[in-house]
Amino acid sequence: DTEVTQTPKHLVMGMTNKKSLKCEQHMGHRAMYWYKQKAKKPPELMFVYSYEKLSINESVPSRFSPECPNSSLLNLHLHALQPEDSALYLCASSQTTSLETQYFGPGTRLLVL
Amino acid sequence: KQEVTQIPAALSVPEGENLVLNCSFTDSAIYNLQWFRQDPGKGLTSLLLIQSSQREQTSGRLNASLDKSSGRSTLYIAASQPGDSATYLCAVRLETDSWGKFQFGAGTQVVVTP
């Protein structure tokens, strides 16, 4: 099973809402990633978790709060977002943060009104 | 800073033609290079991963070459089909990276017409 799942597929939220994105993998991978992708642009790395510890935060605003409750699950908590945060949010995983292929989920399409 | 460029930005070919997609990078000290496919509004699907010590990788109709010294990779797709229509992205990792940080190109949008 080389699948990364993400829920929800679509999310519409107001600027005062609090919501969460969820990502799950059952491949035994110990590295998980959040990316943000705007239309017609490449993905931009936001966070890297390695062995459930936050390893990289690419200067992401604090209104995005990642969480890794266990080795299979990665959440992204959203609060007080801005319309410019509307994007496709992609989760990925790999065996470790070393040389291996990253497997991507289908993404959550987020619209902030 | 590593810069990754993909040319052309868009490509339209009739079915059956071979596709040639180019990726160039400015820092040749790379760990590996990966080619991905992305369908509209969807996630990325890994196509081929080339380690820095390799010259090429093949999978079915796909062949990717890597010339590290000149900072180039080429993805060849033989006998294109309408189902090959998608955006193709290349991504590189530097030798100094320990955290799985890819630097992506902007992608080549491919349309294969029946």
Side-chain angles (χ1 to χ4, degrees):
Chain A
D1 180 11
T2 57
E3 192 180 22
V4 176
T5 59
Q6 289 187 244
T7 54
K9 286 189 177 179
H10 302 276
L11 179 62
V12 180
M13 60 187 289
M15 289 190 282
T16 58
N17 292 156
K18 280 186 183 181
K19 296 284 184 184
S20 296
L21 310 185
K22 180 180 167 183
C23 172
E24 200 160 6
Q25 56 86 15
H26 295 286
M27 295 178 275
H29 289 174
R30 303 313 297 270
M32 296 184 78
Y33 312 81
W34 279 115
Y35 290 84
K36 172 182 176 179
Q37 187 179 27
K38 303 282 274 185
K40 305 240 182 246
K41 298 286 187 185
E44 297 174 357
L45 184 66
M46 299 174 72
F47 302 104
V48 179
Y49 271 83
S50 179
Y51 291 86
E52 295 96 70
K53 286 189 169 43
L54 182 63
S55 303
I56 294 283
N57 176 341
E58 292 286 273
S59 303
V60 179
S62 60
R63 57 186 185 267
F64 295 91
S65 174
E67 178 198 20
C68 190
N70 60 56
S71 60
S72 301
L73 196 54
L74 184 67
N75 297 320
L76 186 62
H77 302 298
L78 314 173
H79 174 55
L81 293 194
Q82 304 295 312
E84 60 264 28
D85 297 322
S86 299
L88 181 68
Y89 288 85
L90 296 165
C91 173
S93 72
S94 61
Q95 191 69 35
T96 66
T97 56
S98 293
L99 302 174
E100 300 86 1
T101 299
Q102 289 185 16
Y103 296 87
F104 282 77
T108 293
R109 173 74 61 192
L110 173 67
L111 178 62
V112 182
L113 299 175
Chain B
K1 185 194 167 192
Q2 175 75 280
E3 290 185 12
V4 181
T5 305
Q6 290 188 246
I7 293 172
L11 184 60
S12 181
V13 299
E15 182 177 2
E17 267 198 22
N18 296 332
L19 284 163
V20 180
L21 309 179
N22 297 301
C23 172
S24 61
F25 45 93
T26 53
D27 187 342
S28 62
I30 64 168
Y31 234 171
N32 59 35
L33 182 146
Q34 194 159 357
W35 282 95
F36 294 91
R37 169 193 170 129
Q38 186 173 30
D39 293 293
K42 306 284 187 188
L44 279 66
T45 301
S46 176
L47 297 174
L48 291 166
L49 172 71
I50 312 177
Q51 304 294 353
S52 61
S53 58
Q54 297 175 316
R55 298 284 292 185
E56 66 177 346
Q57 278 283 359
T58 298
S59 175
R61 294 184 296 112
L62 276 59
N63 174 277
S65 66
L66 174 65
D67 184 341
K68 200 175 128 174
S69 59
S70 66
R72 285 191 221 160
S73 177
T74 303
L75 178 67
Y76 300 90
I77 303 177
S80 62
Q81 303 167 358
D84 295 328
S85 298
T87 296
Y88 292 82
L89 297 121
C90 71
V92 300
R93 284 188 59 185
L94 290 178
E95 286 176 353
T96 50
D97 171 55
S98 302
W99 300 111
K101 292 176 66 172
F102 278 115
Q103 185 68 43
F104 282 88
T108 294
Q109 187 174 8
V110 171
V111 174
V112 180
T113 54

